[in-house]
Amino acid sequence: MAGLMVLAGAGPAGAAGGAGAGPEADVAYHGRVSLQRGQLRVWLVPRNEGPSGLANATVRLRLSADLADAQELAAGCARAGEREVVCETGPLPEHGRGRHIGLVLGLRERPAEVAVRIDTWWNGGAADRNHGNDEHVVLALDTGDAYAF
């Protein structure tokens, strides 16, 4: 958990250093989001398309609805605000996957829909020129259906 606090101080991936400040990597996220009766389920797999491996990165989930006060988060995850959760990915080898991240988030209300914004919050200063695969916005309707990204 202390590692997350250090990561949190680093700020958004694009804020620390530009191209050439560190290795080049292409972090990507693929997964599913579903909403049912005020409970948001998120399952994602971080991936690194290369060309360099990363020791760790942090994925950020920002919601359009407030989180309930009490949350049981997966290991390596922390609440970062009323509507925000961050999770470390674990090592991302070149052309490899990080750890699977599964979250069941309780919401304060029972909204009809929730927009979930997924992006890289910290990547160790690596240059990532392709944000088309690590920045997603998913709209989940309160149907229990899974929406892929």
Side-chain angles (χ1 to χ4, degrees):
M1 192 58 94
L4 272 178
M5 290 183 196
V6 172
L7 299 179
E24 183 174 344
D26 183 10
V27 177
Y29 304 109
H30 303 286
R32 297 183 302 272
V33 173
S34 67
L35 175 65
Q36 189 168 27
R37 296 185 197 102
Q39 193 173 69
L40 183 72
R41 295 178 181 273
V42 180
W43 178 83
L44 67 89
V45 179
R47 185 166 171 78
N48 178 7
E49 303 297 336
S52 299
L54 297 174
N56 202 354
T58 305
V59 60
R60 173 174 57 178
L61 306 170
R62 291 178 289 164
L63 313 178
S64 64
D66 289 345
L67 292 162
D69 291 335
Q71 298 290 330
E72 289 188 35
L73 298 175
C77 295
R79 189 172 177 160
E82 289 295 314
R83 296 180 171 193
E84 195 168 332
V85 173
V86 293
C87 297
E88 57 185 3
T89 64
L92 292 172
E94 176 184 344
H95 302 292
R97 294 180 178 181
R99 67 184 187 91
H100 293 208
I101 299 169
L103 296 167
V104 179
L105 302 172
L107 302 176
R108 184 162 298 177
E109 307 283 328
R110 286 183 58 177
E113 62 186 37
V114 173
V116 181
R117 295 181 181 278
I118 300 134
D119 63 4
T120 300
W121 197 53
W122 179 85
N123 67 6
D128 187 339
R129 290 171 177 54
N130 178 14
H131 292 290
N133 58 7
D134 70 320
E135 295 178 355
H136 305 281
V137 179
V138 182
L139 180 64
L141 304 178
D142 186 13
T143 60
D145 294 329
Y147 299 89
F149 60 91

